[in-house]
């Protein structure tokens, strides 16, 4: 694999850390700003909103820029947002700067996926994209636990200053290691938007939204599941989340390789496995050993889907992949919101803390049904092409 992928992985590590470490240092930030925990939760949703808004807007605004320039600009904005957040005088400024830090998230990954796939031969493109996203999954194994520990010992502001430093390192690495990309051929916002006229693009985004929504229905409420149902102490939750992160990392690695070989069959199996694991988790959550094993497989099955869908949507976008590639990140964060919302509904309805796993299983099955429809359209197009030949 090209050394340039290391630069993209470093950037992905920083982005993944800043997105998820906020959950670990939320109590410290709330106390510092003098607000309640629920109010401090806007620091999480502010970032997610920035991702959803920024992915299409910044990608569209930079459609004519060379992709290396785009990557450097996005990491510069990311670094600035995190520095400003670390210096926030109050909650209101904090939410605004978290929004700013989230804006370049989707645009970076959209451009990064295109760059990563351009560095290798066609048969290795999904693998190359998965190597970039390896940084994102490793953030859950290393960055989030260490960032949480730093925030607890030194203060949450120190955590985000370190994240800013990672952003600077990523910018240097991109400048040194990523080859000059040149301007995109025939750059056109109309052409990029034209990709959204393809039904297969919307089906791919729907698979991400609902299939990965199943993962977040579970993970959003994993802490109370592990403490109140499985019987773990709060101190063990971080370790178990790291175990889920290991599963995510392996899943991302395996998913990238399977996508290059047999994308759609591998996607069907991954979604089916995710639905099965989430269903099983409603039973295994009752014990410590079973819960620990199952949470690993939730991360494994769920994150096999990511590189497959990134490869799928770039394939279906044709020659205009940047905007739809960035849209995957918006769909990912919408999946996060939908999963968390529906999981919260069933808990509030009195169905218990393991009920979000059933919701997640149903969402994964729904995602699988959309994937089957998409695969059916592929076969119909192939038959039409053979008939015309």
């Amino acid at each position: 694999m090209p050394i340039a992928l290391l630069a993209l992985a470093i950037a992905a590590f920083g982005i993944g850390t800043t997105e998820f470490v906020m959950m670990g240092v939320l109590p410290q930030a709330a106390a510092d700003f003098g607000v309640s925990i629920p109010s401090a939760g806007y620091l999480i949703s502010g970032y997610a909103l920035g991702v959803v808004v920024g992915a299409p807007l910044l990608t569209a605004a930079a459609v004519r820029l060379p992709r290396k320039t785009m990557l450097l600009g996005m990491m510069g904005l990311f670094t600035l947002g995190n520095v400003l957040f670390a210096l926030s005088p109050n909650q209101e400024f904090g939410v605004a700067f978290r929004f700013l830090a989230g804006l370049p998230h989707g645009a970076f990954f959209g451009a990064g996926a295109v760059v990563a796939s351009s560095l290798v031969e066609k048969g290795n493109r999904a693998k190359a994209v998965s190597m970039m996203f390896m940084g994102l999954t490793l953030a859950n194994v290393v960055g989030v636990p260490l960032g949480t520990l730093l925030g607890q010992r030194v203060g949450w502001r120190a955590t985000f200053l370190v994240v800013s430093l990672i952003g600077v390192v990523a910018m240097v690495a991109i400048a040194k290691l990523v080859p000059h990309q040149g301007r995109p051929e025939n750059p056109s916002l109309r052409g990029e938007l034209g990709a959204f006229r393809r039904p297969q693009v919307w089906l791919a985004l729907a698979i991400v939204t609902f299939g990965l929504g199943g993962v977040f229905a579970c993970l959003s409420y994993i802490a109370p599941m592990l403490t109140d149902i499985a019987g773990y102490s709060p101190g063990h939750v971080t370790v178990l989340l790291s175990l889920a992160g290991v599963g995510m990392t392996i899943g991302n690695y395996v998913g990238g390789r399977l996508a290059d070989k047999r994308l759609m069959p591998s996607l069907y199996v991954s979604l089916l496995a995710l639905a099965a694991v989430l269903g099983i988790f409603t039973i295994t959550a009752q014990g410590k050993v079973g819960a620990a094993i199952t949470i690993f497989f939730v991360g494994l099955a769920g994150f096999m889907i990511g590189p497959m869908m990134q490869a799928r949507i770039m394939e279906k976008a044709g020659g205009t992949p940047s905007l739809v590639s960035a849209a995957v990140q918006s769909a990912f964060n919408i999946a996060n919101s939908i999963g968390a919302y529906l999981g919260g509904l069933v808990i509030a309805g009195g169905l218990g803390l393991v009920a979000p796993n059933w919701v997640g299983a149903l969402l994964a099955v729904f995602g699988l049904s959309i994937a089957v429809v998409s695969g059916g359209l592929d076969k119909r197009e192939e038959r039409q092409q053979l008939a015309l030949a």
Side-chain angles (χ1 to χ4, degrees):
M1 289 284 105
I3 190 66
L5 295 176
L6 175 61
L8 300 179
I10 293 170
F13 180 83
I15 292 172
T17 300
T18 204
E19 180 175 20
F20 297 114
V21 79
M22 193 69 246
M23 302 172 189
V25 299
L26 199 64
Q28 288 75 31
D32 190 13
F33 288 142
V35 299
S36 66
I37 293 290
S39 179
Y42 289 118
L43 297 170
I44 297 173
S45 55
Y47 184 92
L49 181 61
V51 177
V52 173
V53 172
L57 290 184
L58 291 182
T59 301
V63 70
R64 296 181 182 276
L65 290 177
R67 291 197 174 101
K68 181 173 179 177
T69 304
M70 167 77 158
L71 293 175
L72 288 169
M74 294 304 101
M75 283 312 298
L77 183 58
F78 166 84
T79 302
L80 175 64
N82 280 284
V83 169
L84 292 173
F85 176 58
L87 302 175
S88 299
N90 55 43
Q91 164 84 346
E92 291 74 22
F93 276 98
V95 172
F97 292 141
R98 281 287 285 173
F99 175 82
L100 178 64
L103 283 174
H105 178 126
F108 178 88
F109 280 124
V114 176
V115 170
S117 63
S118 73
L119 296 173
V120 297
E121 296 177 354
K122 186 175 181 180
N124 290 315
R125 287 178 180 174
K127 186 192 302 183
V129 172
S130 75
M131 294 305 292
M132 176 184 70
F133 280 100
M134 189 73 73
L136 185 65
T137 56
L138 284 174
N140 288 284
V141 181
V142 180
V144 172
L146 290 181
T148 299
L149 182 62
L150 179 65
Q152 292 170 345
R153 297 289 178 85
V154 182
W156 68 270
R157 296 177 188 273
T159 297
F160 288 93
L161 287 174
V162 170
V163 169
S164 304
L165 181 60
I166 296 172
V168 172
V169 172
M171 290 177 68
V172 173
I174 291 169
K176 296 289 185 181
L177 301 179
V178 175
H180 179 66
Q181 296 290 303
R183 294 180 182 273
E185 292 184 11
N186 302 316
S188 167
L189 178 57
R190 179 177 296 179
E192 293 282 349
L193 291 172
F196 289 95
R197 290 197 293 267
R198 301 184 174 103
Q200 287 283 33
V201 167
W202 286 104
L203 287 173
L205 292 174
I207 295 167
V208 173
T209 299
F210 294 104
L212 288 176
V215 178
F216 291 111
C218 167
L219 294 184
S220 296
Y221 303 96
I222 194 65
M225 252 187 263
L226 293 173
T227 55
D228 296 6
I229 304 299
Y232 281 103
S233 68
H236 287 130
V237 171
T238 300
V239 176
L240 290 165
L241 289 177
S242 294
L243 184 60
V246 172
M248 293 173 189
T249 302
I250 296 173
N252 177 73
Y253 180 86
V254 173
R257 277 141 187 79
L258 291 176
D260 281 325
K261 294 178 180 178
R262 298 193 68 193
L263 196 158
M264 291 308 290
S266 299
L267 178 61
Y268 299 151
V269 171
S270 298
L271 286 165
L272 184 60
L274 177 61
V277 169
L278 289 170
I280 291 169
F281 200 16
T282 61
I283 300 170
T284 58
Q286 311 297 328
K288 289 185 176 181
V289 175
I293 294 172
T294 312
I295 194 174
F296 168 82
F297 283 103
V298 170
L300 177 69
F303 275 70
M304 284 175 65
I305 298 167
M308 295 178 188
M309 294 314 305
Q310 196 75 51
R312 174 75 173 172
I313 202 162
M314 287 195 298
E315 173 190 309
K316 294 305 175 183
T320 55
S322 295
L323 193 55
V324 291
S325 182
V328 172
Q329 298 303 312
S330 294
F332 184 87
N333 278 270
I334 293 170
N336 192 341
S337 300
I338 288 175
Y341 175 71
L342 293 178
L345 277 185
V346 295
I347 293 175
L351 297 180
L353 287 172
V354 297
N357 294 325
W358 285 122
V359 172
L362 291 173
L363 286 172
V365 169
F366 187 45
L368 174 60
S369 68
I370 300 171
V372 170
V373 171
S374 182
L377 288 178
D378 281 347
K379 291 181 179 179
R380 189 176 73 178
E381 290 170 3
E382 289 172 5
R383 287 194 298 267
Q384 290 174 343
Q385 289 174 358
L386 286 173
L388 294 172

